[in-house]
Every structure is written in C-alpha cells, then in structure tokens.
Amino acid sequence: MRGAMIHGPGDVRFETVEDAKILEPTDAVIRTAVTCVCGSDLWSWRGVEPTEQAHPMGHEYVGFVEEVGSDVTALRPGQFVVGSFATSDNTCANCRNGFPSNCLNREFMSTCQAEYVRIPNAQGTLVATDEVPDEELWPGLLAVSDVMGTGWWAADAAEVTPGCTAVVVGDGAVGLCAVIAAREFGAERIIVMSRHEPRQKLAREFGATDIVTERGEEGVARIKELTGGIGADAVLECVGTAQAMRQALYATRPGGSVGFVGVLHEVAIDGQELFFSHVGLRGGPAPVRRYLPDLIERVLSGRIDPGKVFDLTLPLEQVAAGYQAMDERRAIKALLRP
C-alpha cells in the first residue's frame, strides 16, 4: 500500500510502505475514507520535533472496516467507523474514569496518512455508524476523530458553563472547533484571539462574539478591558506555546479555569504565580473516545459542522503539499482523499 513518510524537516513523501495487517487479536484494519494533516504534525515538518529516522505520519481517520482480529466481536467488515488518535480498550480503570486517552493499553496512532490503517484496541477505540454516512458528512466526522474532540475537551477542561464568558487562544482547527464547543456548552460570550481574517470569519460563523487581534501583554490587557478588568470565566488554550499559555493564564479571572489542549513546547509555569492566581488548570491529550458517540450524532444530525475547518482538499498522494500549505498558513487544515 502507499502512505506518507517523513524523512526530515520539510520532507514528507508519499511512497510504498508495509501493508497494514492484523498483528494482535484486538486489532482491526480499515480502508481510509478520508484523512488529513494536523497542526501538531507541523512540529515534525518544521524540525521542532527531530526525525531520527523516516517514519509514517498521521493520526486522524475515518474509514471502512476491512478485517478484524479474533477478539473483535463488535465490528464487522464493511462498517463505517470513527476512532480516536489515542487507542483504548474502553474497559480499564482509566477508561472507566473517563480518560480513555490515558488507557493502560493506550497506543497513539501515527500511520493514518495512508490507504489502509491498522487500529490497535479496535473494539474499544472504534465507533461504527448505523449506516454509511453521506460523503458530505465525512469531513465533519473526520474532525471528530481529533480536532473537534480536542476542542470539546478544551471547553470541558476549562469548565465552560451556560452564560459564561469564554476566551479561545488559537485560531487553528482545534481553536475553531473549541469555539463550536464553547457555544454548545452554552457560553454567552466567546472571545477568539486571532489575527487572520479568514479564520476570524469562520470563528464568527461558529459562534464567536468578539475578536482580539493583540497578543502577549497587549492581548491580555484587551481581554481584561472586555471583561470589566477581571478576566474570563474560562480560557481554552489551543496552541501549546509558552506565549499562548501565558496569555491563557493571565486572561483568566480568579476562580476561573484554563483548559490547555495544545501539544506543549517549551512551556514552564511558575508554581507560586499559579498558586496566588486562583486559576484552575487542566489539560492533556483529549479523551476523544469519551465524546465520540455524542459528537458523531451532532455531526450526523447537522447540529454542528466542524468539517468547515477543512479549507483545502487534496489527493492523498499530494500530502506534502498539504503540509506546506498549512505551514505557510495558506490553509487551516488539509483534507486528504485516497
């Protein structure tokens, strides 16, 4: 089969790779319907995360079950399925406590920009739809496998409540999906920190009420100005840089909460400063599997349409062009069709 391999910074190739196959009785193999490039993939593309040797890429997927292992009894070939970037058995203590992305048998997906994908822990990870959805819904369901689920976790972790004021730090696909989540959680005011007009437009379409273009101390000051000098009730940090985390913490009112879901790079938090701020802090890899049934239904019913974050569609074989477009901010998120 063919799939994406990264060989070094700026060097992603679509080439022949080893066929996806059943290795464990808990595995399944799916035929990819659509996949995509994630903003977190750009850390490797840019060389921030070193590539010691060539390896596959991609962790977002929806597709059709091709084959299942002997222990997989709830899935059958031909079903359309949605999964998570973190696999889970859905039975261990961490899964039962609502954190399947910390499953004791967790594996992170990393081979999904390919024609076929092996899914470990398939029975606990994959959710099958009742029937094959219309193709126009596939992008929204693909978003659910990561960026929409991660945006939902940002709102959940930040404790967004009906009538509250929420701030979203970041206007990438996760940040834009976090706007949807904040709206669905009932936030009355949703302030998005963004400097890019096309993304601002989509943020407003998703439910943003205010846009803040300033960054750093100026951005925090603007948030304070918009919130009576106090700060926001909930802040959804969807970037993962040191600057974004500082903005999130300083823009939160005493007693408010920050949900941080961006993959962290060079972030350090002053414990004493956090102690005296009275700001709550929760984050980590999104427990997407917990949210899948609900989010799938919201997409299928038309209640939410996170698929709009895909503003570039390419053949899977042009995966490198998707990376480049996102790196140059010519695209929010690139959808790849096998």
Side-chain angles (χ1 to χ4, degrees):
M1 70 176 198
R2 296 182 301 167
M5 297 283 287
I6 188 166
H7 291 259
D11 186 8
V12 168
R13 308 174 197 174
F14 191 65
E15 55 194 30
T16 300
V17 296
E18 185 176 350
D19 288 340
K21 62 185 71 172
I22 301 293
L23 300 179
E24 302 290 342
T26 49
D27 290 348
V29 171
I30 66 168
R31 173 172 57 86
T32 304
V34 284
T35 183
C36 57
V37 180
C38 183
S40 63
D41 293 334
L42 298 180
W43 296 114
S44 296
W45 171 266
R46 293 167 177 161
V48 177
E49 292 181 355
T51 300
E52 303 295 339
Q53 59 184 19
H55 59 81
M57 291 293 289
H59 54 265
E60 298 159 282
Y61 59 95
V62 294
F64 298 90
V65 177
E66 285 282 305
E67 184 182 2
V68 297
S70 58
D71 288 353
V72 181
T73 59
L75 300 168
R76 63 179 185 278
Q79 287 182 303
F80 186 93
V81 290
V82 184
S84 165
F85 63 84
T87 74
S88 54
D89 57 28
N90 226 22
T91 60
C92 79
N94 290 344
C95 289
R96 294 196 306 272
N97 285 331
F99 286 88
S101 52
N102 227 313
C103 175
L104 296 176
N105 293 304
R106 174 186 67 189
E107 293 187 40
F108 285 113
M109 297 300 299
S110 60
T111 64
C112 298
Q113 291 163 3
E115 295 170 325
Y116 295 85
V117 184
R118 168 184 169 257
I119 311 292
N121 298 309
Q123 181 133 319
T125 301
L126 299 175
V127 175
T129 57
D130 291 336
E131 53 191 32
V132 177
D134 293 339
E135 283 196 35
E136 64 184 19
L137 295 173
W138 291 4
L141 294 170
L142 177 61
V144 164
S145 78
D146 183 357
V147 291
M148 186 64 242
T150 299
W152 200 265
W153 167 230
D156 195 358
E159 300 181 357
V160 175
T161 55
C164 81
T165 293
V167 169
V168 176
V169 180
D171 62 2
V174 171
L176 291 167
C177 287
V179 175
I180 296 176
R183 182 198 66 199
E184 293 292 294
F185 275 58
E188 182 175 319
R189 194 174 191 185
I190 304 172
I191 305 168
V192 176
M193 306 190 83
S194 170
R195 287 183 165 181
H196 303 86
E197 189 173 343
R199 300 178 186 217
Q200 294 170 3
K201 182 179 179 181
L202 188 54
R204 288 193 181 277
E205 185 178 340
F206 283 164
T209 57
D210 303 88
I211 303 292
V212 168
T213 58
E214 296 87 350
R215 289 183 180 175
E217 292 182 3
E218 291 181 354
V220 171
R222 181 63 179 143
I223 295 296
K224 293 289 184 69
E225 181 183 339
L226 291 171
T227 56
I230 301 300
D233 302 304
V235 178
L236 292 63
E237 193 285 298
C238 303
V239 182
T241 63
Q243 182 189 62
M245 182 64 86
R246 283 196 301 269
Q247 284 185 179
L249 289 170
Y250 297 160
T252 309
R253 68 166 174 81
S257 296
V258 173
F260 65 102
V261 301
V263 178
L264 299 182
H265 288 79
E266 299 182 351
V267 172
I269 297 171
D270 186 313
Q272 183 137 337
E273 192 172 74
L274 182 65
F275 179 79
F276 284 103
S277 72
H278 282 116
V279 170
L281 188 61
R282 169 173 283 179
V288 170
R289 178 59 181 84
R290 187 208 309 178
Y291 306 131
L292 278 183
D294 179 31
L295 292 179
I296 289 170
E297 178 54 35
R298 289 174 193 256
V299 170
L300 294 179
S301 68
R303 181 180 175 96
I304 63 174
D305 187 8
K308 289 182 178 179
V309 299
F310 295 105
D311 56 347
L312 176 65
T313 299
L314 296 168
L316 180 56
E317 63 188 20
Q318 295 180 26
V319 56
Y323 276 79
Q324 188 166 3
M326 288 176 60
D327 180 49
E328 296 171 357
R329 300 187 76 84
R330 291 184 286 107
I332 299 171
K333 193 165 178 68
L335 182 81
L336 305 170
R337 291 186 176 273

